[in-house]
């Protein structure tokens, strides 16, 4: 049977946070299929399923490979939605930050911020970097490694109460969710410019927004080899009229441009998590153009305008590859549902990949290891976990990571 998740993150806190990659390998505890009791987007009681893993250590390059296969993280928990038994369709979305131009509503917001002396003087329509990044007399923005502070927690608590009606936001939950990260800092891009922008190299950061000396908002981001990945934003409800969600996104897009210029030309994209067509509060992400959605059948990023028509035809989950008929993988019922989940299903593995999956090494405790073929002999459930691990992680990552169950 898949191993149930554990809430113990002490190893992650001690080994991942503040640790530099060096020769360390990614360490993943495979949790198997997990069922969410209630969907946080459509609020149906059926919820959704995901394939889960808990990261003890995670190289930035390996997490980049995972999010390019549809994975996301919440603290140290990594998850990949199983679309064969989920109520909503989850599409990973990113924008080309280097090609993004300000829209009318965004220019209007920046003009308002300048009137309030939150931003420095710059002409409307000027380059995104100068329009967004130039701080005024009242605004200070600091990018710092992700770490707990009481000031941040109090803002988070107020945000959860006011926006999500969550009256039980604990300090430990905040710490594990938004402060402790399994990502190992990677300073291979070290240099004067890199150190000025990223004090620890690639890794997890908090972008803190101060207005008149008060912490107004915190954007939690991961800086990876080709992107800035947005994890979460929380803000003090007293500053809700500032449209901090929109401004923080513009600021993070501008950060991608700075990193591309001064740190690495490979950093070009802004990842925004999941685009969920059936959830109105998640469709706003499509406005950051030019945007792309990840096809989980081909693992290619497809321009969103090419995807929307196919999504309308198949409201659940589909491939965007015109060479593949969605009817081959989608069954029609009361709601369109994907009949098999390509990233998790073992049917995506060919004969050679199946043989390679059986050679994967899984650790059971600190001293005992077992091959995937031996696990498969124990039970059909464990055999399925081996297939799912290989299919979801991809064999290159599954082969080089330290896996445990």
């Amino acid at each position: 049977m898949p191993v149930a998740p554990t809430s113990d993150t002490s190893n992650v806190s001690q080994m991942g946070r503040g640790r530099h990659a060096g020769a360390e390998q990614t360490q993943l505890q495979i949790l198997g299929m997990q069922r969410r009791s209630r969907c946080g987007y459509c609020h149906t009681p059926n919820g959704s399923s995901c394939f889960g893993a808990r990261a003890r250590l995670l190289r930035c390059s390996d997490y980049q490979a995972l999010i390019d296969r549809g994975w996301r993280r919440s603290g140290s928990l990594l998850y990949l939605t199983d679309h064969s038994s989920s109520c909503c369709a989850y599409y990973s979305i990113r924008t080309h930050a280097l090609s993004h131009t300000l829209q009318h509503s965004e220019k209007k917001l920046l003009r308002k911020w300048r009137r309030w002396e939150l931003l420095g003087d710059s002409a409307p329509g000027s380059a995104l970097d100068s329009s967004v990044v130039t701080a005024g007399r009242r605004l200070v923005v600091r990018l710092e490694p992700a770490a707990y502070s009481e000031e941040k927690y109090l803002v988070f608590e107020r945000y959860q109460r006011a926006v999500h009606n969550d009256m039980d936001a604990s300090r430990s939950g905040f710490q594990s969710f938004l402060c402790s990260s399994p990502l190992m800092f990677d300073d291979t891009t070290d240099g004067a410019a890199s150190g000025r922008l990223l004090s620890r190299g690639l890794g997890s950061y908090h972008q803190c927004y101060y207005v008149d000396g008060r912490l107004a908002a915190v954007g939690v981001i991961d800086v990876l080899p080709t992107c800035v990945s947005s994890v979460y934003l929380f803000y003090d409800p007293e500053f809700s009229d500032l449209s901090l969600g929109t401004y923080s996104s513009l600021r993070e897009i501008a950060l991608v441009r700075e990193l591309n210029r001064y740190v690495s030309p490979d950093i070009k994209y802004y990842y925004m998590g999941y685009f969920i067509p059936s959830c109105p509060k998640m469709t706003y992400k499509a406005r950051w153009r030019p945007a792309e959605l990840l096809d989980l059948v081909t693992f290619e990023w497809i321009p969103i305008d090419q995807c929307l028509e196919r999504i309308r035809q198949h409201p659940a989950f589909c491939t965007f590859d015109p060479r593949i008929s969605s009817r081959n993988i989608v069954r029609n019922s009361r709601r369109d549902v994907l009949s098999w989940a390509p990233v998790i299903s073992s049917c995506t593995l060919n004969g050679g990949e199946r043989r390679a999956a059986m050679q994967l090494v899984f650790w059971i405790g600190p001293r005992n290891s077992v091959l995937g073929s031996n696990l498969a002999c124990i039970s059909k459930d464990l055999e399925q976990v081996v297939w799912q691990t290989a299919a979801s992680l991809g064999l290159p990552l599954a082969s080089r990571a330290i896996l445990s169950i």
Side-chain angles (χ1 to χ4, degrees), residues 74-116:
S74 176
S76 63
L77 178 66
L78 307 178
Y79 56 93
L80 176 65
T81 299
D82 174 13
H83 288 92
S84 66
S85 61
S86 295
C87 46
C88 298
Y90 297 69
Y91 299 98
S92 295
I93 184 170
R94 73 180 186 184
T95 188
H96 287 260
L98 307 186
S99 302
H100 175 74
T101 56
L102 293 173
Q103 300 178 13
H104 174 73
S105 61
E106 295 158 3
K107 293 178 183 178
K108 184 178 178 180
L109 171 64
L110 296 180
R111 286 195 297 268
K112 180 173 73 173
W113 276 51
R114 281 192 289 273
R115 285 199 306 270
W116 292 348

Side-chain angles (χ1 to χ4, degrees), residues 117-145:
E117 298 183 331
L118 290 166
L119 294 178
D121 293 330
S122 59
S126 59
L128 179 63
D129 300 77
S130 61
S131 295
V132 177
V133 176
T134 306
R137 289 187 296 174
R138 299 179 57 201
L139 174 69
V140 174
V141 182
R142 296 175 185 160
L143 183 65
E144 59 188 47

Side-chain angles (χ1 to χ4, degrees), residues 326-348:
S326 289
R327 293 181 179 180
N328 292 338
I329 61 172
V330 176
R331 65 174 185 269
N332 293 317
S333 58
R334 189 171 181 180
R335 294 183 61 173
D336 289 342
V337 181
L338 188 72
S339 60
W340 58 285
V343 181
I344 301 174
S345 174
S346 61
C347 68
T348 62

Side-chain angles (χ1 to χ4, degrees), residues 238-312:
E238 290 187 25
F239 295 96
S240 58
D241 59 338
L242 294 182
S243 301
L244 285 162
T246 298
Y247 179 71
S248 66
S249 293
L250 291 174
R251 186 85 190 199
E252 288 163 8
I253 290 173
L255 175 62
V256 175
R257 293 184 169 197
E258 287 188 281
L259 296 173
N260 173 269
R261 182 177 181 182
Y262 297 112
V263 176
S264 170
D266 294 330
I267 302 177
K268 303 176 182 178
Y269 302 101
Y270 178 50
Y271 284 51
M272 297 169 281
Y274 287 133
F275 173 74
I276 303 176
S278 60
C279 181
K281 70 178 182 180
M282 299 297 285
T283 56
Y284 75 93
K285 298 178 181 182
R287 78 178 188 224
W288 306 108
R289 302 296 182 97
E292 297 175 321
L293 300 183
L294 178 65
D295 189 319
L296 285 180
V297 175
T298 64
F299 300 117
E300 295 177 354
W301 289 94
I302 310 297
I304 193 169
D305 290 330
Q306 297 180 27
C307 303
L308 293 178
E309 177 59 30
R310 198 139 188 183
I311 290 174
R312 282 189 285 269

